[in-house]
Amino acid sequence: RSVAEQLHDMSEQNLKRLNGDIKYLEELFRRTGEIPDLGFAVDREVAAWMEQDQVWILARISEFSTNSPNRVVVADAEDSSARFTLTPDQVTVLPDKETLSAARTRLPVVGLKVLAIYPDTTSFYQGTLTGLAVKESSTTGAGSRGGASSGHAPGTILCQVEFDDDEDKRTGKTPKHNIPSKHVFAVSANAAAAAQEI
């Protein structure tokens, strides 16, 4: 074999090794947070800030390209034909297949200010975390924290949230709601600024 062929083979082997190293390092840096993984995958559930309505809604990503990283197209969860073009700071990627441990790491303390889906809606509202994540264990949906039925399937990871301005006019008490943890997220600087405009 000629020297040129041998050099070509060595170059190919080195290139394969470098590509493998790059993939390994990218994954390592993503896990440590040094390279942000925005998670903008098509069909991924997100909370989307609707400037015109001054509300966060549940949506799904319908378009995203790294060629246009400042543009995320989402579809309303209730009406997939309603599409909105947003900037990445108007979109919060929601956890996908989150474990109980991951939910407790992401939402670590009672008293944390959060945005969460209000029961029987697809809108997120400000509230306070009043109970850490637990796994629904009842086969009847009777609730992991006792009391009224949670209405969630066994295995659903739930957080307890007390929503701002949700006081019962009759009793004067603010109810605590069991919300799937995937629909609860800590208030970020962007989310807080947007929610303050409400």
Side-chain angles (χ1 to χ4, degrees), residues 1 3-21:
R1 291 179 22 130
V3 173
E5 290 173 329
Q6 291 175 11
L7 285 174
H8 178 266
D9 289 348
M10 287 174 42
S11 296
E12 287 293 315
Q13 288 174 350
N14 286 336
L15 185 58
K16 282 181 183 177
R17 188 173 55 246
L18 285 172
N19 283 334
D21 289 348

Side-chain angles (χ1 to χ4, degrees), residues 57-78:
I57 66 165
L58 182 63
R60 288 193 176 276
I61 293 176
S62 57
E63 291 177 39
F64 178 74
S65 169
T66 53
N67 296 329
S68 301
N70 293 320
R71 179 180 166 273
V72 182
V73 180
V74 300
D76 188 320
E78 289 185 317

Side-chain angles (χ1 to χ4, degrees), residues 99-116:
T99 64
L100 180 59
S101 174
R104 288 183 175 167
T105 299
R106 189 173 56 80
L107 302 165
V109 294
V110 168
L112 184 68
K113 294 305 282 178
V114 296
L115 283 168

Side-chain angles (χ1 to χ4, degrees), residues 17-30:
R17 188 173 55 246
L18 285 172
N19 283 334
D21 289 348
I22 289 170
K23 285 180 183 177
Y24 168 77
L25 290 171
E26 280 180 346
E27 179 60 30
L28 177 68
F29 290 148
R30 275 196 179 86

Side-chain angles (χ1 to χ4, degrees), residues 26-43:
E26 280 180 346
E27 179 60 30
L28 177 68
F29 290 148
R30 275 196 179 86
R31 278 186 274 148
T32 61
E34 293 178 56
I35 295 177
D37 180 3
L38 299 177
F40 291 148
V42 171
D43 208 37

